[in-house]
């Protein structure tokens, strides 16, 4: 009889340990990638603002682009990604939905960034894709 009571207590204790939605590896993985991706976007923004003139030489022409606007977009996205990633570490449920939206926006921004820094943009697109995947693959909290 004592084992029956302890068995039911163990069964009820397992969902509460996972109930906050943070106790899964996917949420930790997503939070780490969000903070990492946020810092990478932040550094991309700072570098674009600091050195905002890029020259492309083709066969007959030289094109000059000003990257200040893209720099501010990446800077703001990076800061918000870092904040949402840190909130996800603390178990905030809103950070999960916000993280998916922000990672999607960051993917679009990095896609538009491809002509300027192709390797860095592709790495950040992959990081953002993993963020979306990890946030969507993590089990839902039992309270919602």
């Amino acid at each position: 009889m004592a084992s029956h009571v302890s068995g039911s207590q163990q069964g009820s204790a397992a969902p509460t340990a996972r109930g906050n939605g943070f106790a899964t590896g996917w949420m930790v993985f997503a939070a780490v990638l969000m903070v990492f991706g946020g810092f990478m976007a932040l550094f991309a923004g700072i570098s674009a603002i600091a050195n905002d003139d890029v020259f492309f030489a083709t066969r007959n022409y030289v094109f000059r682009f000003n990257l200040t606007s893209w720099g501010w977009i990446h800077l703001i996205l990076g800061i918000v990604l870092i904040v949402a990633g840190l909130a996800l570490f603390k178990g905030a449920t809103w950070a999960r939905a916000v993280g998916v939206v922000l990672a999607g926006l960051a993917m679009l921004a990095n896609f538009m960034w491809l002509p300027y820094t192709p390797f860095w943009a592709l790495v950040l697109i992959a990081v953002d894709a993993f963020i979306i995947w990890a946030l969507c693959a993590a089990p839902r909290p039992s309270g919602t």
Side-chain angles (χ1 to χ4, degrees), residues 38-121:
F39 274 114
M40 295 292 278
L42 180 82
F43 294 145
I46 290 171
S47 67
I49 292 169
N51 187 13
D52 63 346
D53 290 325
V54 175
F55 294 93
F56 287 113
T58 62
R59 180 171 269 187
N60 296 320
Y61 300 99
V62 173
F63 297 100
R64 180 174 180 248
F65 296 101
N66 188 324
L67 300 180
T68 303
S69 300
W70 281 114
W72 283 107
I73 290 170
H74 282 276
L75 185 75
I76 292 168
L77 270 174
I79 290 169
V80 179
L81 266 171
I82 292 168
V83 169
L86 293 176
L88 195 61
F89 269 124
K90 293 186 176 202
T93 55
W94 61 266
R96 190 171 181 170
V98 168
V100 171
V101 171
L102 287 175
L105 288 174
M107 282 179 82
L108 289 174
N110 287 312
F111 180 75
M112 300 303 287
W113 193 250
L114 273 171
Y116 307 112
T117 57
F119 180 74
W120 193 336

